[in-house]
Amino acid sequence: MSLFDKEAFRKLAIQISDEELNFINNCLILIPHPDDESLACAGFIAKLVKKGVQFKIILTTDGSRSHPNSKKFPAEKLTDLRKKELKQVIALLGLETDVLICYDSIDSAMPARGEPGFDELVAILANDLKSFKPDLILVPYELDPHRDHRATWQLLMSALEKGTITRPIIWEYPVWLYENAAKSDLPHLKPNELRFVDVSSYNKLKQSCIEAHVSQTTKMIDDDPNGFILSSEMIANFTTGKEYFMERKKINPNATLSEDYFESLYTNSDDPWNFEKSEYERKKYEASLAAIPKLLYNNALEIGCSIGIFTSMLGIYCRSLTAIDISKTALEKAKLRSLNSLHIKFKLGGIPSDFPNENFDLIVMSEVGYYLSMEDLLVTRNLIENHLNGDGILLLVHWTHFVVDYPISGDDVHECFKQSALTHLEGSRNDDYRIDVFQKK
């Protein structure tokens, strides 16, 4: 028995207007099983097809375990049948069947994070994301009470973090939450995080899509008395004329990360990113220093100094260096590291609000820009432009992979500065990060 209050859930939902869908050119839908697309989002798909949106539908399991005791439909035959049903739905929705990609994990045993086979799926999905570049991704809710649904969500998050695509909007759809939710599965949504699309004009089409999954909605497979069948009560959750999606800020952040976010990290670990011992970080620091002109800078600024590893390296090239960080815990560690370097001064604060009121010959922003909202990044860009002396240097260094917590990507940061009044001197990138050097002419 589910503890989920469907009516209270639905009352929280705010309608998505047609105009709000105009950002979508490419939509990716991840479904653990054939029929999830018909239940959760058939009406929405039809609406977007009418708007000319391009689709990819990724089926993560083979759907082979709905009737495990059937002799008439052993696993391989059932897989073929369910894929055929899914392709019928795709055609009903006005799409070509080549939008479908099948990963063929075993139904009800899809690898979850940390299990054998998961990393291989991550690599495949990361490549598909890179090729398709979705603006919107639909995926089962993180805690939807079915292991394949949860594993599909985990797969998406891991694949996004492996890749370097522009951050898409992610909508989560509930399926088994309606009927099987335990207390720990319940979503604790913030205002405006639950949305709905009015699909009432597609009610008949949606019903046809659901009914196309004959193996799941009828007793066509009659030799497994314990086989799965979608009950009329379960189907009724999806035939209200509205389709519901969660746009949680947890995975769609748009605000600058708070002081509490960083304090929590440094409270739990002395060195959350392993700056001190990581060979990767050491090589990145060396590459960063190699990128800037070899001068003795009269006055330099390091934005986001963390525990001060790079600060002490940078200080060799500066007569005066100001290092700023939003975390009091990190800053105290940085001060201890540079205790004997009297030309280095430390400032507690975050950007853009606490940007120092002085001018600099060198400004370094390394692994910080993606913590900002785009609005705050633009303010920071203006401050940097205004506080760089003539011929002053700006060094940007950022990780380019997707990170679910960060409002923007490293590439977003660097491309933003390429649109600034500063002159781009040089740039480089590898599989993990990019370096760009700018100068104020």
Side-chain angles (χ1 to χ4, degrees):
M1 179 180 175
S2 176
L3 298 175
F4 187 55
D5 188 334
K6 305 172 193 177
E7 295 309 312
F9 176 73
R10 290 169 177 149
K11 285 179 181 178
L12 294 173
I14 296 172
Q15 184 170 358
I16 302 168
S17 68
D18 284 354
E19 291 73 23
E20 290 180 88
L21 303 177
N22 289 339
F23 77 95
I24 308 169
N25 294 305
N26 294 339
C27 179
L28 171 65
I29 302 173
L30 291 168
I31 56 170
H33 310 103
D35 71 16
D36 288 323
E37 81 300 326
S38 296
L39 296 170
C41 54
F44 181 60
I45 295 172
K47 183 182 282 279
L48 292 189
V49 167
K50 194 173 181 181
K51 294 171 77 73
V53 170
Q54 299 300 304
F55 282 88
K56 287 293 179 187
I57 298 173
I58 294 178
L59 173 64
T60 56
T61 80
D62 60 9
S64 63
R65 303 296 294 165
S66 64
H67 295 75
N69 301 311
S70 174
K71 298 291 189 293
K72 295 180 181 178
F73 288 89
E76 186 175 340
K77 186 175 180 180
L78 182 54
T79 293
D80 290 343
L81 172 60
R82 296 197 67 187
K83 285 182 181 178
K84 181 180 178 182
E85 292 171 346
L86 177 55
K87 288 176 181 178
Q88 289 175 344
V89 169
I90 289 170
L92 282 172
L93 292 170
L95 295 170
E96 299 295 326
T97 54
D98 62 3
V99 304
L100 178 63
I101 301 172
C102 299
Y103 286 1
D104 289 323
S105 294
I106 297 174
D107 186 6
S108 299
M110 179 179 168
R113 189 181 284 124
E115 295 180 348
F118 183 78
D119 290 344
E120 289 79 1
L121 288 174
V122 168
I124 295 169
L125 179 54
N127 188 61
D128 286 334
L129 289 168
K130 183 179 179 180
S131 299
F132 187 56
K133 298 180 177 62
D135 308 296
L136 176 69
I137 300 176
L138 306 188
V139 66
Y141 164 55
E142 178 182 9
L143 300 178
D144 207 51
H146 188 299
R147 69 158 286 138
D148 294 341
H149 289 225
R150 296 183 182 204
T152 298
W153 186 94
Q154 292 169 13
L155 172 63
L156 174 62
M157 295 303 129
S158 295
L160 285 168
E161 290 178 355
K162 186 177 179 65
T164 57
I165 68 167
T166 300
R167 171 180 281 280
I169 299 297
I170 303 169
W171 287 358
E172 299 165 279
Y173 58 83
V175 176
W176 290 106
L177 188 69
Y178 288 115
E179 298 298 325
N180 294 339
K183 187 176 181 179
S184 58
D185 302 331
L186 300 178
H188 300 285
L189 299 176
K190 297 174 182 176
N192 303 326
E193 287 191 334
L194 181 63
R195 313 296 301 275
F196 77 85
V197 178
D198 183 347
V199 296
S200 55
S201 59
Y202 300 99
N203 279 353
K204 289 184 179 179
L205 174 59
K206 177 162 181 152
Q207 189 64 41
S208 295
C209 290
I210 294 171
E211 291 172 357
H213 293 283
V214 179
S215 65
Q216 308 300 295
T217 57
T218 72
K219 294 183 179 179
M220 181 190 113
I221 302 176
D222 58 8
D223 64 335
D224 183 356
N226 297 317
F228 174 79
I229 190 166
L230 279 167
S231 68
S232 57
E233 292 79 12
M234 178 63 175
I235 292 172
N237 293 316
F238 304 96
T239 54
T240 64
K242 297 177 181 179
E243 290 175 345
Y244 294 87
F245 305 98
M246 293 173 253
E247 187 177 335
R248 294 190 295 156
K249 290 183 173 60
K250 172 183 175 180
I251 55 175
N252 296 282
N254 58 11
T256 295
L257 298 183
S258 68
E259 177 185 348
D260 288 345
Y261 175 90
F262 295 99
E263 277 301 302
S264 175
L265 287 174
Y266 286 108
T267 299
N268 291 328
S269 171
D270 289 341
D271 186 2
W273 288 278
N274 196 27
F275 290 141
E276 194 161 16
K277 297 179 181 178
S278 167
E279 182 69 10
Y280 162 82
E281 294 293 342
R282 185 187 65 78
K283 289 181 178 179
K284 185 179 68 176
Y285 294 151
E286 290 174 353
S288 300
L289 290 172
I292 59 175
K294 292 303 172 287
L295 303 171
L296 186 61
Y297 295 93
N298 286 322
N299 198 20
L301 171 65
E302 182 189 12
I303 298 171
C305 66
S306 183
I307 59 175
I309 305 290
F310 187 62
T311 310
S312 58
M313 299 171 69
L314 184 63
I316 296 170
Y317 300 94
C318 308
R319 286 195 174 96
S320 176
L321 171 61
T322 299
I324 182 172
D325 201 275
I326 196 172
S327 167
K328 183 177 180 181
T329 303
L331 204 67
E332 290 302 319
K333 293 171 184 173
K335 287 178 182 178
L336 289 173
R337 191 177 303 278
S338 296
L339 203 58
N340 297 320
S341 300
L342 300 181
H343 67 300
I344 301 177
K345 54 186 177 181
F346 294 91
K347 176 179 172 64
L348 178 63
I351 57 168
S353 57
D354 298 308
F355 198 98
N357 188 24
E358 53 184 302
N359 290 346
F360 302 95
D361 304 303
L362 170 67
I363 296 177
V364 174
M365 185 160 71
S366 177
E367 310 293 15
V368 173
Y370 41 54
Y371 298 142
L372 305 177
S373 67
M374 183 53 72
E375 181 182 6
D376 280 348
L377 181 66
L378 290 170
V379 174
T380 300
R381 187 182 74 179
N382 290 338
L383 286 166
I384 288 173
E385 289 175 357
N386 293 334
H387 286 271
L388 263 180
N389 289 322
D391 294 326
I393 297 294
L394 169 66
L395 171 66
L396 296 180
V397 185
H398 288 88
W399 175 258
T400 51
H401 295 273
F402 175 95
V403 181
V404 69
D405 288 352
Y406 301 169
I408 57 178
S409 70
D411 281 321
D412 290 335
V413 175
H414 288 238
E415 293 307 313
C416 176
F417 276 86
K418 280 194 170 183
Q419 304 301 316
S420 72
L422 303 175
T423 299
H424 185 240
L425 296 183
E426 64 172 301
S428 64
R429 68 185 302 150
N430 61 23
D431 291 341
D432 296 315
Y433 66 87
R434 66 185 286 183
I435 296 175
D436 282 288
V437 181
F438 299 83
Q439 188 172 35
K440 184 172 182 179
K441 296 290 191 179

